[in-house]
mmCIF file of all heavy atoms in Angstrom:
data_model
loop_
_atom_site.group_PDB
_atom_site.id
_atom_site.type_symbol
_atom_site.label_atom_id
_atom_site.label_comp_id
_atom_site.label_asym_id
_atom_site.label_seq_id
_atom_site.Cartn_x
_atom_site.Cartn_y
_atom_site.Cartn_z
ATOM 1 N N LEU J 485 16.167 94.791 -77.453
ATOM 2 C CA LEU J 485 16.659 94.890 -76.109
ATOM 3 C C LEU J 485 16.893 96.339 -75.823
ATOM 4 O O LEU J 485 18.026 96.891 -76.118
ATOM 5 C CB LEU J 485 17.945 94.129 -76.091
ATOM 6 C CG LEU J 485 18.353 93.306 -74.835
ATOM 7 C CD1 LEU J 485 19.475 92.431 -75.176
ATOM 8 C CD2 LEU J 485 18.627 94.125 -73.634
ATOM 9 N N GLY J 486 15.894 97.095 -75.386
ATOM 10 C CA GLY J 486 16.023 98.515 -75.237
ATOM 11 C C GLY J 486 16.208 99.142 -76.633
ATOM 12 O O GLY J 486 15.438 98.901 -77.506
ATOM 13 N N ASP J 487 17.260 99.897 -76.775
ATOM 14 C CA ASP J 487 17.526 100.569 -78.113
ATOM 15 C C ASP J 487 18.363 99.762 -79.071
ATOM 16 O O ASP J 487 18.713 100.207 -80.082
ATOM 17 C CB ASP J 487 18.201 101.959 -77.841
ATOM 18 C CG ASP J 487 17.292 103.022 -77.475
ATOM 19 O OD1 ASP J 487 16.071 102.922 -77.909
ATOM 20 O OD2 ASP J 487 17.639 103.942 -76.710
ATOM 21 N N VAL J 488 18.669 98.525 -78.613
ATOM 22 C CA VAL J 488 19.485 97.633 -79.454
ATOM 23 C C VAL J 488 18.531 96.583 -80.139
ATOM 24 O O VAL J 488 17.778 95.997 -79.503
ATOM 25 C CB VAL J 488 20.536 96.933 -78.654
ATOM 26 C CG1 VAL J 488 21.265 95.865 -79.523
ATOM 27 C CG2 VAL J 488 21.565 97.899 -78.086
ATOM 28 N N TYR J 489 18.674 96.577 -81.513
ATOM 29 C CA TYR J 489 17.878 95.657 -82.291
ATOM 30 C C TYR J 489 18.828 94.683 -82.951
ATOM 31 O O TYR J 489 19.789 95.006 -83.581
ATOM 32 C CB TYR J 489 17.079 96.429 -83.374
ATOM 33 C CG TYR J 489 16.027 97.386 -82.742
ATOM 34 C CD1 TYR J 489 16.406 98.615 -82.210
ATOM 35 C CD2 TYR J 489 14.742 96.983 -82.716
ATOM 36 C CE1 TYR J 489 15.474 99.492 -81.659
ATOM 37 C CE2 TYR J 489 13.754 97.848 -82.113
ATOM 38 C CZ TYR J 489 14.095 99.049 -81.657
ATOM 39 O OH TYR J 489 13.192 99.859 -81.066
ATOM 40 N N ILE J 490 18.459 93.354 -82.823
ATOM 41 C CA ILE J 490 19.262 92.340 -83.486
ATOM 42 C C ILE J 490 18.502 91.673 -84.576
ATOM 43 O O ILE J 490 17.417 91.085 -84.374
ATOM 44 C CB ILE J 490 19.708 91.249 -82.420
ATOM 45 C CG1 ILE J 490 20.403 91.925 -81.241
ATOM 46 C CG2 ILE J 490 20.607 90.220 -83.078
ATOM 47 C CD1 ILE J 490 20.623 91.011 -80.050
ATOM 48 N N ALA J 491 19.048 91.808 -85.803
ATOM 49 C CA ALA J 491 18.387 91.197 -86.956
ATOM 50 C C ALA J 491 19.054 89.893 -87.279
ATOM 51 O O ALA J 491 20.203 89.791 -87.488
ATOM 52 C CB ALA J 491 18.486 92.178 -88.163
ATOM 53 N N GLY J 492 18.269 88.799 -87.207
ATOM 54 C CA GLY J 492 18.846 87.496 -87.490
ATOM 55 C C GLY J 492 18.575 87.056 -88.933
ATOM 56 O O GLY J 492 17.455 87.111 -89.396
ATOM 57 N N VAL J 493 19.680 86.838 -89.686
ATOM 58 C CA VAL J 493 19.562 86.580 -91.098
ATOM 59 C C VAL J 493 20.101 85.159 -91.411
ATOM 60 O O VAL J 493 21.202 84.798 -90.956
ATOM 61 C CB VAL J 493 20.309 87.615 -91.972
ATOM 62 C CG1 VAL J 493 19.657 88.957 -91.859
ATOM 63 C CG2 VAL J 493 21.751 87.675 -91.653
ATOM 64 N N PRO J 494 19.360 84.343 -92.196
ATOM 65 C CA PRO J 494 19.810 83.020 -92.503
ATOM 66 C C PRO J 494 20.738 82.947 -93.694
ATOM 67 O O PRO J 494 20.561 82.140 -94.635
ATOM 68 C CB PRO J 494 18.494 82.270 -92.827
ATOM 69 C CG PRO J 494 17.628 83.325 -93.353
ATOM 70 C CD PRO J 494 17.963 84.637 -92.718
ATOM 71 N N ALA J 495 21.718 83.845 -93.708
ATOM 72 C CA ALA J 495 22.601 83.923 -94.928
ATOM 73 C C ALA J 495 23.847 84.677 -94.493
ATOM 74 O O ALA J 495 23.907 85.356 -93.453
ATOM 75 C CB ALA J 495 21.898 84.675 -95.990
ATOM 76 N N GLU J 496 24.817 84.659 -95.406
ATOM 77 C CA GLU J 496 26.062 85.348 -95.199
ATOM 78 C C GLU J 496 25.997 86.684 -96.022
ATOM 79 O O GLU J 496 26.041 86.665 -97.274
ATOM 80 C CB GLU J 496 27.232 84.560 -95.713
ATOM 81 C CG GLU J 496 27.293 83.143 -95.056
ATOM 82 C CD GLU J 496 28.521 82.351 -95.493
ATOM 83 O OE1 GLU J 496 29.626 82.879 -95.592
ATOM 84 O OE2 GLU J 496 28.303 81.165 -95.839
ATOM 85 N N PHE J 497 25.779 87.802 -95.350
ATOM 86 C CA PHE J 497 25.702 89.043 -96.006
ATOM 87 C C PHE J 497 27.083 89.674 -96.277
ATOM 88 O O PHE J 497 27.968 89.582 -95.443
ATOM 89 C CB PHE J 497 24.924 90.123 -95.089
ATOM 90 C CG PHE J 497 23.442 89.999 -95.216
ATOM 91 C CD1 PHE J 497 22.785 88.778 -95.050
ATOM 92 C CD2 PHE J 497 22.705 91.113 -95.529
ATOM 93 C CE1 PHE J 497 21.401 88.695 -95.146
ATOM 94 C CE2 PHE J 497 21.334 91.097 -95.673
ATOM 95 C CZ PHE J 497 20.679 89.909 -95.565
ATOM 96 N N THR J 498 27.221 90.296 -97.452
ATOM 97 C CA THR J 498 28.520 90.966 -97.629
ATOM 98 C C THR J 498 28.528 92.247 -96.796
ATOM 99 O O THR J 498 27.487 92.665 -96.292
ATOM 100 C CB THR J 498 28.659 91.379 -99.175
ATOM 101 O OG1 THR J 498 27.595 92.194 -99.521
ATOM 102 C CG2 THR J 498 28.727 90.137 -100.071
ATOM 103 N N THR J 499 29.717 92.845 -96.735
ATOM 104 C CA THR J 499 29.817 94.053 -95.939
ATOM 105 C C THR J 499 28.777 95.106 -96.249
ATOM 106 O O THR J 499 28.022 95.586 -95.416
ATOM 107 C CB THR J 499 31.216 94.678 -96.156
ATOM 108 O OG1 THR J 499 32.210 93.695 -95.842
ATOM 109 C CG2 THR J 499 31.414 95.958 -95.376
ATOM 110 N N MET J 500 28.674 95.509 -97.564
ATOM 111 C CA MET J 500 27.711 96.577 -97.979
ATOM 112 C C MET J 500 26.292 96.136 -97.791
ATOM 113 O O MET J 500 25.426 96.931 -97.426
ATOM 114 C CB MET J 500 28.039 97.099 -99.347
ATOM 115 C CG MET J 500 27.447 98.420 -99.644
ATOM 116 S SD MET J 500 28.078 99.695 -98.541
ATOM 117 C CE MET J 500 29.254 100.598 -99.567
ATOM 118 N N SER J 501 26.030 94.815 -98.068
ATOM 119 C CA SER J 501 24.595 94.352 -97.865
ATOM 120 C C SER J 501 24.202 94.539 -96.408
ATOM 121 O O SER J 501 23.091 95.013 -96.119
ATOM 122 C CB SER J 501 24.489 92.840 -98.205
ATOM 123 O OG SER J 501 24.926 92.651 -99.520
ATOM 124 N N GLY J 502 25.078 94.175 -95.504
ATOM 125 C CA GLY J 502 24.804 94.313 -94.086
ATOM 126 C C GLY J 502 24.591 95.769 -93.720
ATOM 127 O O GLY J 502 23.672 96.085 -92.980
ATOM 128 N N ARG J 503 25.491 96.629 -94.237
ATOM 129 C CA ARG J 503 25.332 98.093 -93.960
ATOM 130 C C ARG J 503 23.988 98.595 -94.434
ATOM 131 O O ARG J 503 23.299 99.349 -93.744
ATOM 132 C CB ARG J 503 26.450 98.897 -94.597
ATOM 133 C CG ARG J 503 27.813 98.573 -93.898
ATOM 134 C CD ARG J 503 28.892 99.224 -94.790
ATOM 135 N NE ARG J 503 30.203 99.089 -94.106
ATOM 136 C CZ ARG J 503 31.379 99.406 -94.714
ATOM 137 N NH1 ARG J 503 31.432 99.818 -96.003
ATOM 138 N NH2 ARG J 503 32.508 99.240 -94.049
ATOM 139 N N ARG J 504 23.613 98.210 -95.609
ATOM 140 C CA ARG J 504 22.295 98.708 -96.148
ATOM 141 C C ARG J 504 21.208 98.162 -95.328
ATOM 142 O O ARG J 504 20.144 98.942 -95.088
ATOM 143 C CB ARG J 504 22.118 98.317 -97.631
ATOM 144 C CG ARG J 504 22.917 99.099 -98.620
ATOM 145 C CD ARG J 504 22.542 98.759 -99.987
ATOM 146 N NE ARG J 504 23.623 99.220 -100.912
ATOM 147 C CZ ARG J 504 23.712 98.901 -102.152
ATOM 148 N NH1 ARG J 504 22.756 98.137 -102.755
ATOM 149 N NH2 ARG J 504 24.712 99.393 -102.950
#
Side-chain angles (χ1 to χ4, degrees):
L485 217 167
D487 279 332
V488 173
Y489 294 79
I490 305 169
V493 294
E496 305 182 45
F497 275 55
T498 61
T499 301
M500 199 58 104
S501 301
R503 288 170 176 172
R504 281 190 202 170

